[in-house]
Amino acid sequence: MTVSSPPRVVPVRLNRTALHPRPVRYRALVRLSLRRHRGTLAATAVASALLTVWVLRTAHDVIRVRAERAATSCAEFPYLDRCDATVRDVSDALQAVQHAQFALVVVPALVAALLGAPLLAQEYERRTHRLLWTQSVPRQRWLTGQLLVLGGTSVAVGIVAAVLGGRLRAVTSPTLTHDSSAFSALPYNSFGPVLATATVLAFAIGVLAGELTRRTVPAMVCALAGYTGVLTLLTWLRRFLQPTLTRFPPHGYDLAPDDWLLRDGVVTPDGRRLSYAQCGPTGCPEGSRVFDVYHSASQLWPTQWTQAALTVPLIALALLTVHRSISRRLL
């Protein structure tokens, strides 16, 4: 008869790594996001390349037209018969520039609708967010990994578009467009830091629209409407971003090509400022002098950088709202 030995207690050392797993690194999340969005990224790269070729070709045509006009002296005497073809070439070149600038202005809207809005809206529609958000990766960390890829893509697209728009402005203003100002809505929103930050803002608005609507098509519509509203507000606001200047020329409409005329009229001898329409059919009072209220061409880049600085908090606010909404949303 054998006597069983008493049970022995064997201590087990617990692995703290198993109890508290390390968070997934952002490098892995970025690689995952690159694989998931490789089709969108490839299409964006192709579209950006085509846009670059188009804009650079347009700028090259403008340079060629400028050289031909200078060689034939048609810049000083555009009404000569031999300058008809050159004048038509200049008109066609300027029209092509306007089309390219309009395409650059549309770039942020496309980023909002095609990159920003589907980011979360598609996950909600396909119900894949239930799987993604019940894994070991926290929701905010997963969203950050997505934003690093698609948000970084929007930053790159905005920078490329801003550089291309700056190239168009450099070859056209003020050599060919004597009666146009860079403060006008079309050229102003098509180059520089304004376009770069507007592209990132459009992406952030699209992500926010996808989080709020949870449907892809409504998110696209809301993103386009929201970005259009913000762009309209910022375009109106730009006249207040720099102090206005006032001059009293011997006659009106005597500003530099890139100056932006805000208001003009006459100053009466008693100090009142009247517009030309207020002078009436009898003309302006005797002894009145002309005045111009305007922004000078030297204020263009400070205005651009000021508007860009105002756009950055809007981007941060939109993305912060998305993060807080995701953390509080139930599956």
Side-chain angles (χ1 to χ4, degrees):
M1 180 176 179
T2 60
V3 179
S4 60
S5 59
R8 297 176 59 187
V9 178
V10 179
V12 177
R13 179 176 297 179
L14 296 179
N15 190 352
R16 293 190 176 184
T17 305
L19 294 177
H20 303 283
R22 294 180 179 179
V24 180
R25 294 183 177 181
Y26 283 114
R27 183 183 304 176
L29 294 176
V30 168
R31 286 200 301 265
L32 175 63
S33 182
L34 287 173
R35 293 183 59 185
R36 295 183 70 243
H37 301 291
R38 59 183 179 272
T40 302
L41 297 177
T44 302
V46 172
S48 299
L50 294 176
L51 180 64
T52 301
V53 172
W54 177 28
V55 172
L56 293 181
R57 178 62 182 272
T58 302
H60 179 269
D61 292 341
V62 172
I63 295 175
R64 176 181 56 81
V65 168
R66 285 172 51 185
E68 292 177 355
R69 190 179 67 158
T72 56
S73 301
C74 290
E76 296 80 6
F77 308 101
Y79 300 105
L80 296 178
D81 294 337
R82 62 183 176 84
C83 293
D84 291 343
T86 303
V87 171
R88 285 195 301 269
D89 291 342
V90 171
S91 178
D92 294 341
L94 291 179
Q95 188 175 10
V97 167
Q98 290 180 350
H99 292 164
Q101 288 175 339
F102 180 77
L104 292 173
V105 172
V106 174
V107 165
L110 295 178
V111 169
L114 302 180
L115 292 183
L119 177 60
L120 293 175
Q122 286 184 351
E123 304 294 346
Y124 289 127
E125 277 190 336
R126 299 169 181 173
R127 303 294 182 181
T128 53
H129 69 288
R130 297 177 181 271
L131 174 63
L132 294 172
W133 294 353
T134 54
Q135 304 300 314
S136 59
V137 181
R139 303 177 184 183
Q140 293 86 351
R141 199 175 186 85
W142 171 86
L143 177 61
T144 303
Q146 303 295 307
L147 293 178
L148 287 175
V149 174
L150 293 184
T153 303
S154 68
V155 172
V157 171
I159 293 176
V160 170
V163 172
L164 294 176
R167 176 60 176 168
L168 283 179
R169 178 183 175 271
V171 300
T172 56
S173 176
T175 306
L176 296 179
T177 55
H178 293 287
D179 57 346
S180 177
S181 171
F183 282 99
S184 301
L186 182 58
Y188 180 82
N189 293 315
S190 67
F191 70 93
V194 165
L195 179 58
T197 53
T199 305
V200 184
L201 175 62
F203 171 78
I205 292 176
V207 176
L208 179 60
E211 168 63 19
L212 297 179
T213 61
R214 308 184 72 173
R215 295 291 184 272
T216 303
V217 175
M220 290 180 176
V221 175
C222 292
L224 292 176
Y227 171 70
T228 302
V230 173
L231 178 64
T232 302
L233 176 62
L234 292 176
T235 303
W236 170 80
L237 186 65
R238 74 183 190 276
R239 66 177 60 215
F240 305 107
L241 299 181
Q242 293 294 320
T244 58
L245 305 175
T246 304
R247 64 195 300 261
F248 301 94
H251 51 81
Y253 307 103
D254 192 22
L255 297 176
D258 271 346
D259 289 344
W260 183 20
L261 180 64
L262 299 177
R263 187 163 54 93
D264 61 350
V266 297
V267 180
T268 61
D270 58 356
R272 292 181 301 145
R273 292 191 176 186
L274 303 176
S275 64
Y276 292 117
Q278 292 175 320
C279 289
T282 59
C284 298
E286 186 73 21
S288 299
R289 57 174 179 166
V290 177
F291 77 92
D292 294 330
V293 178
Y294 69 103
H295 285 299
S296 68
S298 61
Q299 294 177 313
L300 176 63
W301 286 108
T303 304
Q304 283 254 339
W305 285 109
T306 303
Q307 181 172 330
L310 293 177
T311 307
V312 173
L314 298 179
I315 298 172
L317 178 62
L319 296 180
L320 179 62
T321 303
V322 173
H323 271 275
R324 293 179 64 87
S325 177
I326 282 183
S327 63
R328 297 180 179 182
R329 184 181 292 276
L330 300 177
L331 294 178

